[in-house]
Amino acid sequence: MNRKTPVKRTRAKQRRLSADDRRSEFVTKATELFAEEGFGGGTRALARRLGVTQPLLYRYFPSKDDLIKEVYRKVYLEPLEIGREKLLSDRSRPLRVRLQEFYEGYTDAIFNRKWLRIYLYSGLKGLDINRWYVGMVKDKILTRIVRECRHDAGLATQSRPSAAELELAWVFHGGIFYYGVRKYIYEAPVLEDKAQMISDALDLFLAGFERMAESATDRRGAPIKVVG
Amino acid sequence: MNRKTPVKRTRAKQRRLSADDRRSEFVTKATELFAEEGFGGGTRALARRLGVTQPLLYRYFPSKDDLIKEVYRKVYLEPLEIGREKLLSDRSRPLRVRLQEFYEGYTDAIFNRKWLRIYLYSGLKGLDINRWYVGMVKDKILTRIVRECRHDAGLATQSRPSAAELELAWVFHGGIFYYGVRKYIYEAPVLEDKAQMISDALDLFLAGFERMAESATDRRGAPIKVVG
DNA sequence: ATATCTGGTGATCGCTCGATAAACTGAGCC
DNA sequence: GGCTCAGTTTATCGAGCGATCACCAGATAT
């Protein structure tokens, strides 16, 4: 598979790579380029990063758009392929611990300049894959969190969380996400200890959710009060 | 090719505007264009939106970059020029009410496709004005909120909030902000009642902050526990 | 060694971009 | 009327873009 470097090292530049290697190199470097420049980044600049000429790109991708799609695939699937979210439902451990662990791992995966910038750029393009990802966060993560919180608070675990409960989870999730944006996109100073930020955010969320559950129990009605 | 009548046909009505009007029309339409296309949007597309020709732009702006700077100025200053944040410190009214009112007004100002997209695009460019804005949010809004919360919880109003307290306020603020991003950038379904979303988020934040204040009082030490 | 396969290059096309210079046009003033 | 000045257009430049094609050269098989 991997071409071994010939011992003789004829010239400064060894040029020929196997097709698979070259292709994935294109995707990797393209991710870096587009993260910095946006998807307007040029194919010539990309080729320069690889030390090859620009037309070579078209040996591996029919068009720039196809390359971009590969970048999407890689970036969007990267933080999910571990299947970390299942940890959230492991009721043998305290909810607080599960949430802390999940968010530490999740943010380890997505809190870096490259991922966040590609995510925001593609979000601004309004592509389907972005909506797919947001729906996935809702279904796989937030719905699970709300269910576990309700269980933890001794409430009936209804099949589907109410819209208001989900919104609450979104605000919590978004608050954590925004920490990454502030740090890696805005490059603003943030509290350096990410784990503590998550811990504090969880304190807020769990305290608030608990209190809400109590007041909902008092009124023996809807779990979250409706506007009025 | 001979489609046009050689006769003097009043060449597509040439609307003459005053310099000031035309200039501000450029900025307005440029904001709309750049919100949709990003700052890569072309000067020709912009001119088409005004019903004029492209070189006219350069009578009013030395370069496209200067036009972009004007767009920044307009967009970044728009939601701030009211000076709404002073309401937060008006202690004659309950804190809860002040926060609710402030965030309803603030989000009314910034939660729209145009503002949010320009904000994110310019944030991705990493310009100074974006850092300035983030610093302003911190100094003018979040610092104030923390101070009022501490006062409300009966804690000493120290001159400067701790980094951890500020971070907490950021998570809260970011959670609300992300509601706008989900709705207007991702165009994902959200809880329609924005006021209730804010109300629920405030419940979380205030309950969490209160509880933290209590535990901090118990330990008579730092207002927020340090990691350990 | 020679043929062949394939990763890689050089030259170039058509198009769009930001920007410039010069010509045109319409409204107010004498 | 005719003059003038400011707003607008026509024509065009040079650079950069994505994409295509003919060709080259290093590795492998015969």
Side-chain angles (χ1 to χ4, degrees), chain A residues 16 41-44 54-55 58 63-64:
Chain A
R16 286 170 83 101
T43 56
R44 272 164 248 261
Q54 178 249 0
Y58 295 89
S63 73
K64 185 184 172 182

Side-chain angles (χ1 to χ4, degrees), chain B residues 10 12 22 26 35 58 60 68 71 87 112 117 153 180 203-204 215:
Chain B
T10 43
R22 187 61 90 193
F26 263 115
Y58 293 90
Y60 297 94
I68 291 177
V71 170
L87 287 176
N112 59 80
R117 288 180 70 91
D203 284 340
L204 244 62
S215 78

